[in-house]
Amino acid sequence: MSVDDSAQLKMRSSKGKPITAPDTLGSAGEQGHTSVNATSSKEADSSVSSSESESRRASKVSGWVKNSSKYAFLVVVALSFITRYWLIWDPAQVVFDEVHFGKFASYYLRREYYFDVHPPLAKMLIALGGWLIGYDGHFLFEKIGMDYMSNGVPYIMLRAWVALFGFAIPPLVYMIMAESGYSVAAATLAALLVTFDNALVTQGRLILLDNIMIYFMLAAVYSYVRFFKLRYKAFSTQWWTWLLSTGAMLGCVVSCKLVGLFTIMLVGMAVLYDLWRIIDIRRGTTMFDFCRHFVARAFALIVVPFMLYLSFFYIHFALLTHTGPGDAYHTSKFQMQLIDSPMTKSSFDIHYGDQIVFRHRDSAVYLDSNTGRYPLRYEDQRVSSQGQQVTGAKNLTSNSLWMIQPAKDQLGFQEFMARRDAGEDISDEDMDKWLVYHSDFVQLMHVNTSSILRTHDVASPLTPTNMEFTTVPLNGSVAVWEDTIWQINIDGADTNDTVLQTSSSFIRLVSKKHSVAMYTHKKKLPAWGHKHQEINGNKKPTENGNVWTIPLIHGRKASPEEQEEMKNKVAKMGFFEKYAELQGLMIKHNNALTSVHPFQSTPMSWPLLVRGISFWTNADARKQIYLLGNPVGWWLSSLSLLAYVISVVALELFNRRNITIVDGIIYRHFLRSGGFIAFAWFIHYFPFFLMGRSLFLHHYLPASIFAYMMIGATYQFFNFDEYQKFTLRHWNGKARALMPSTIAAALFATIIAAQVATFMFFAPLAYGTTSMTPEQIRGRMWMSTYDLHFQK
Amino acid sequence: MTVDMDKEGKRGHRPKGHSIQTDDTARVPKLTKEDSPTTHQPSSDAVTVVSHKYTAAFFAKWNVSSTDALLLLVISLVALVVRCYRLSIPAKVVFDEVHFGKFAGKYLNGTYFYDLHPPLAKMMFAAAGKLAGYDGVFDFKSIGLDYEAASVPYVGMRLLPAILGAITVPATYVVVRACGYKIDTAALASLLVCFENGLITQSRLILLDSPLVFFTVLSLTTWTMFWTQQDKPFTRTWWFWLLATGAMMGCAASCKWVGLFLFPAIGLSTIADLWNKIADLSISPRKWFAHFFARALALLAVPLAVYLFWFQVHFAVLYKTGDAKAMMSPEFQTTLEGGLNVTTDRDVFYGSEIRMRSTNGRSGYLHSHTHNWQHEKGSGQQQVTIYGFADQNNIWIVEPAYNKTIDTSNGPVPVMAGDVIRLRHKITDKFLHSHDKKPALTSDDNKFELSGYGFPGFDGDTNDNFRLEILSGDKTMEGSDKMLQSIYSRFRLIHTNLGCAVFNSRKKLPKWAFEQTEVNCMRNCMPRMSTWHVEYAHLPNNTDGVRKAEYRPLSVWGKILEYNKMMASSNAGLTGDHPFAARPQHWPWLRRGTAYWGGYGNFIYQLGNPPVWWASLASVLLLMAVRVLLFLLDKRQIRPSFGGQRAKYLSAAGFFTISWLCHYIPFFLMGRELFIHHYFPALWMAILVLAFTLDLFTARLPAVVRWSVYLVAASITLYAFETFSYITYARVWTKDVCMKSKWLNTWDIDCEHAIGGARSTEQQSSPVAGADTGVNGSDAKQRVFSAEAAGGDAINGADKSASAVESVYVEPEFVNTAAGPKEAVGKENMSIKPPVKHVEL
């Protein structure tokens, strides 16, 4: 699993003479290092002379080969630039999820609050680009296919900015491969395959999050590789630099999308493995040393990322100060923090005797009653109480007015109401006596029919497990009195001195006797119930569907002074409180993303590239953007993963019989570096099987990069045996390059040619710039499941 | 024992010349150069091999002594008494007896039914019923029905799970002994299992879990016995225990799919064992493969054969058609006596009258009738639906595309793949039609309404045109993939203008469409739900040489496959809001139980023996913590030996902890509705770990102290058993004691049923007196009854006719409805009287 074991060799080469390995390792019984030591000690005597002779030999070969890793890197950079930026201005329309992420960027620039399930960093980065080029956020990217030109959006610059991240991905792949001890050929192979992957190109040139996330992911992996290679110079400045850089990049990747947690798991597992080796007593590590190692990693890889994650949220809240479309997701307290929130304009204390309206938080229906009654028999032959209907109505009418009355002290209340009705001027002090508080017991009188809300032990019309809601006449019997008593439970209130308020209080209305909460759901009553929503008593009082608000008091409006006063009364919310609330909502809504999308797919289908996603179409010009990987590359990469697993299992079985087929450092590199890549692929892929939410092909893109790297790893394993020659290299070309054998060179050329040819063939779908005839489109349906448009 | 969690102990990867260290070496000195192999050996990372002798002692043969025999006899008798006590009470249908009793009856009658569990346990109940004299007449229709009034030999049927439950107790004894533990530990473990209230409750009723737990326990018993034979592979005893394990695993999986968790548990230990064996150079490759194939045969092939065998029996017994037949495919139905019997003309011609069936939906035929769409965004044209019964309204006539004619002068013209056709509804004369209107139940952009359209004098339009796309034909029926043939050709109908396919949405339409199944036209849909076939075709006046077609009956393998696929989808579709459903994170610490039945003064509430649950959970967690700690200490070369108990404890408790994980963790991934009884197999494993842990702590103490500890453990168990025996055996309880016994306030034991509670007597003062939430299903009826008896004022009067709040107490693994909401639609359709007259064909 470890990234690379060539550090010792590397160190020797970089300084030109061998460094004696630290004492701690010298006598260690660890086999791998023993073997390295064994070879190195043989070489040690002659290493100076041999390096001299090699440098003489190197000077004989041409400059191109000598510096080929530098050229290879430049080729990757150039090709990456061309593929990502080619016709980046086309199409000049909103494509796929630009609808969301463009919009969010606009909200940042407008400083209006929005809600999204993803953490803010990537969106803030997009907004940063917009801010730098002077975009004011006037356009809201409402629909796929909207025109950018006519709306005056500087989309080219926005895309070019985001494409910078996509552009950086292939070079990063090259750097990771090279640092992990792969030959120039293997590193170039992996990087070029990534360069010519259609899905990464499509994602990499639009205003989307994934390429930003992948960029940070690879940066984190690269930093970790650098850090790991410095493990024999622990606690040096360089060591700290790369460790902290790993932590910082991990913080960034998880701040783009929560999928970044997989990258954290990847690095976490690698670190655990590393620590597992360090704690071995035969390395001579003392417990104190171990603790130092442990604490350093814990700080850099847990504390630092988390602090970064929080600070991005801090910036997020600092930017989004005004009320916006995201308000409704939040608690009233949160909403009142936002400038111009309607909550701060109309939040009144509620007194007994007020005529109020109940609105269901989730479905926005009003608690309604009318003179209609429940039918005696329902369709399923159950019988009702035939009581007055209580329903949830979409429209606000006088049928939705309820007068709130105290359950006790009716005498004093009658007197108070009489005074109030008479228009007497009641002092504030007297008024305050009749405030409604959290956990008060109340009755609710339906104003139009003068009857009282009741629930009782009768099954509700559509939901037999829940209790029916009805009303009883004002002067009903004592026997039902208890059925009409309700407790007001304000969400988040823990003491009894919280006053019930309009707008800002989220309440649950719980029957005192039956402990059921007033509940409604999307089920509609039949014609006899005016197609209103069913209302009933829910036995699980904590469910979300039980939450109601009181939007207004009949006849009460705020004067400007009152509004000002209310604004000042708003309780301030700290950053952590805000953050905790938002984080909870993000997780909740992320899990709730289960609605079926026509282009969603199952994780099982991704490695074989069974189906893509239609991003954008233009029917007139017969153009379309269809997210699809490079089939050749994806199939080959899946194949190489399979080859890797089979090889390792087979070789391990032979090893257990003491039969050695591949020896020493080559096998170790294959096992550990290859294992790291395979695990990286696995951890970025497998968890999706456990997710209930709707998933898309682009969720596989992070894993696909590691799958491409695996092609490089297996290519090297099967083609090279002079291991030391390329472990000494550095990605920017300080060390020697190795010319591959003829077969390997041919293989290299074949794979790249196939990849590029397929890329070109599918390029019209990736760029959406070419119109195609039906025959051409059908020719690209390598699988019948590629549901391209305009097949006919 | 099996999965040896103690890695070093079994590491076979021994470098040459390495000397074996004894296990009391706490700290091994640094290895010398000779010790570390110079060749690269990837499997051992940093620590070179330090091997210990203790494995040998561990697999010592268990010599059964006379004390063992005597104890086994005593334990079996005690267990039998504990399981059979008050078996006849209550004499009412309790909880899921409503299902499984009914299924037993169906076996006796031979009537086909569908259930989402495999058949073995239910067949065992049928056999028990047969022996006890049950005739299969009583139908277990609802909870609370009286057995005695119907003279059902229910005690005989309940005796089966009781006996199976009793056998698990001596089996526990055997397992502990076979793991190398002493008699006292084995006795304690069996006592813990014997007096576990949850297991007792489950084994006293006609429920599937007792057979499941029985076979799970026996699988692991035979597996541990197999391990005592490790030193003599391929002997007769060795084979016997190995094959017995496979057979028991097969039976467990044939009771409930939960039994499949045995496969990872036993499989992991097998893989670990083989992995160790391959490094043992004294075992020749040939021998190793013999080991490999022996296990593959016994642990994979045998269970599969057993599973298939019980299904064979299942289908052999259930030969008559029953209510559930409509859920199966036509090919399946034709195998049942009195099931589907169809013969039809084979070839479909222009002008043929056809009846077409949705191939995968099982919901019925394409149908239309003289009622119009009424939904808001609809066209208001004639409804087209899917309907389960064959009647004249399902008959369509195949006609050529709009404005096209077919020359039939040379005889009938067959309908070919790719033809554009129209379908005319025979009775109402309207064409099958689609257009840019939304269907009734969705506003999806890709879905369009299907309707019947046309009127006299109007020859239709191009929106009536559908292209016939034949997906596949029958291999033996030549040309069935080129021309439309009844039954053999599977096809889709693609609307030529919209490019959408006629699609079975499997959703139930509202009342105004007679709750038939919705059919619409969907773009970009997969073929699965848009595939159709013709079940009946006839061209009037066509007399010459008509070839016939009929469904091919499924082979029994085909039936098994179809049934299992359906079980998978039913299980996945089991979501509900049963008030006593519980998620896995709440099980091991016994957050709450399940209310099974409520009577007057007595009731049954499924709750475990709390100290046993808590202690067993603690010991499992302890083992895992100890294991991790030991790994770390090994790295520092510190090796506590636990007084020589280390190997035994780690391997035995380790194996059962891994088994526990295999029987517990997967439930977290299941979205379906779960209950606390799903924890029982895992509970048994945790109890074993508890016994091993107690042994570990007391092994080095003087016998007196050790036995005192055991005695205390036994006393606590018995005390808790007695405390909760009231709700286990439905003994009469008082409300005061009941309230005091709620050790956790999350236990919603309904003490109102106890003496002194509101629901302890039949006479109730007020009809709504006990309307709290935790009432029993059987009770709901009684409350309706008492509500009718009570008088009152005007408002109470309204309650007279009111149905009481229905508490759904039945576990929703209910057969027909539980076939998943989608599948159930078809069946419900059947019971709805169609608006048009039936004409039998």
Side-chain angles (χ1 to χ4, degrees), chain A residues 30-94:
Chain A
E30 200 212 349
Q31 298 148 10
H33 283 285
T34 316
S35 71
V36 173
N37 283 346
T39 47
S40 65
S41 60
K42 271 179 226 157
E43 283 175 9
D45 300 332
S46 60
S47 72
V48 178
S49 60
S50 76
S51 74
E52 273 170 15
S53 68
E54 280 182 20
S55 65
R56 267 202 305 278
R57 207 189 313 146
S59 65
K60 283 183 198 160
V61 295
S62 70
W64 186 85
V65 173
K66 193 173 140 202
N67 285 322
S68 70
S69 57
K70 193 178 279 172
Y71 288 120
F73 183 70
L74 287 176
V75 167
V76 169
V77 169
L79 289 174
S80 173
F81 183 84
I82 295 168
T83 48
R84 266 69 183 173
Y85 282 93
W86 190 62
L87 293 181
I88 196 164
W89 47 86
D90 210 356
Q93 291 185 353
V94 180

Side-chain angles (χ1 to χ4, degrees), chain B residues 274-287:
Chain B
L274 289 173
W275 185 248
N276 287 326
K277 280 200 165 58
I278 202 170
D280 184 350
L281 296 182
S282 70
I283 296 177
S284 68
R286 210 192 142 115
K287 197 88 174 165

Side-chain angles (χ1 to χ4, degrees), chain B residues 405-481:
Chain B
T405 46
I406 292 285
D407 178 18
T408 54
S409 53
N410 299 328
V413 180
V415 183
M416 306 298 286
D419 281 5
V420 176
I421 58 167
R422 291 188 293 174
L423 290 177
R424 184 159 58 83
H425 191 240
K426 187 182 176 195
I427 288 188
T428 60
D429 240 6
K430 310 229 187 246
F431 284 108
L432 182 69
H433 184 93
S434 185
H435 41 214
D436 194 7
K437 297 273 182 197
K438 293 282 158 255
L441 300 180
T442 172
S443 57
D444 190 324
D445 281 346
N446 286 309
K447 290 183 182 156
F448 304 96
E449 181 193 85
L450 273 180
S451 64
Y453 183 57
F455 42 87
F458 173 71
D459 193 33
D461 59 28
T462 55
N463 270 339
D464 303 338
N465 286 351
F466 289 86
R467 196 179 65 256
L468 180 76
E469 182 185 306
I470 296 185
L471 295 171
S472 65
D474 191 301
K475 282 186 197 89
T476 60
M477 207 47 70
E478 206 177 317
S480 57
D481 55 342

Side-chain angles (χ1 to χ4, degrees), chain B residues 258-434:
Chain B
V258 177
L260 292 173
F261 294 147
L262 280 168
F263 287 80
I266 289 179
L268 278 175
S269 69
T270 308
I271 291 170
D273 178 33
L274 289 173
W275 185 248
N276 287 326
K277 280 200 165 58
I278 202 170
D280 184 350
L281 296 182
S282 70
I283 296 177
S284 68
R286 210 192 142 115
K287 197 88 174 165
W288 188 85
F289 277 106
H291 274 289
F292 178 86
F293 285 113
R295 284 164 178 80
L297 168 78
L299 303 178
L300 293 174
V302 169
L304 182 67
V306 169
Y307 185 78
L308 294 176
F309 171 74
W310 291 122
F311 264 101
Q312 298 259 21
V313 177
H314 173 79
F315 286 121
V317 173
L318 301 178
Y319 63 96
K320 282 192 278 192
T321 184
D323 299 341
K325 66 159 197 210
M327 306 168 66
M328 313 314 285
S329 68
E331 291 83 353
F332 192 111
Q333 290 182 41
T334 45
T335 62
L336 298 172
E337 186 183 301
L340 201 61
N341 188 9
V342 172
T343 46
T344 165
D345 296 359
R346 192 194 72 176
D347 299 327
V348 181
F349 301 100
Y350 282 99
S352 281
E353 295 177 351
I354 62 167
R355 190 168 76 222
M356 54 191 261
R357 183 191 264 274
S358 171
T359 302
N360 295 316
R362 313 273 156 81
S363 24
Y365 308 100
L366 189 72
H367 178 96
S368 186
H369 43 229
T370 53
H371 294 261
N372 292 339
W373 287 120
Q374 291 177 22
H375 54 284
E376 270 171 36
K377 289 180 182 166
S379 61
Q381 295 168 8
Q382 183 166 306
Q383 293 172 8
V384 173
T385 64
I386 294 179
Y387 178 59
F389 281 120
D391 73 13
Q392 282 290 25
N393 270 323
N394 300 338
I395 298 290
W396 302 81
I397 297 167
V398 183
E399 298 203 347
Y402 172 66
N403 270 349
K404 277 215 173 143
T405 46
I406 292 285
D407 178 18
T408 54
S409 53
N410 299 328
V413 180
V415 183
M416 306 298 286
D419 281 5
V420 176
I421 58 167
R422 291 188 293 174
L423 290 177
R424 184 159 58 83
H425 191 240
K426 187 182 176 195
I427 288 188
T428 60
D429 240 6
K430 310 229 187 246
F431 284 108
L432 182 69
H433 184 93
S434 185

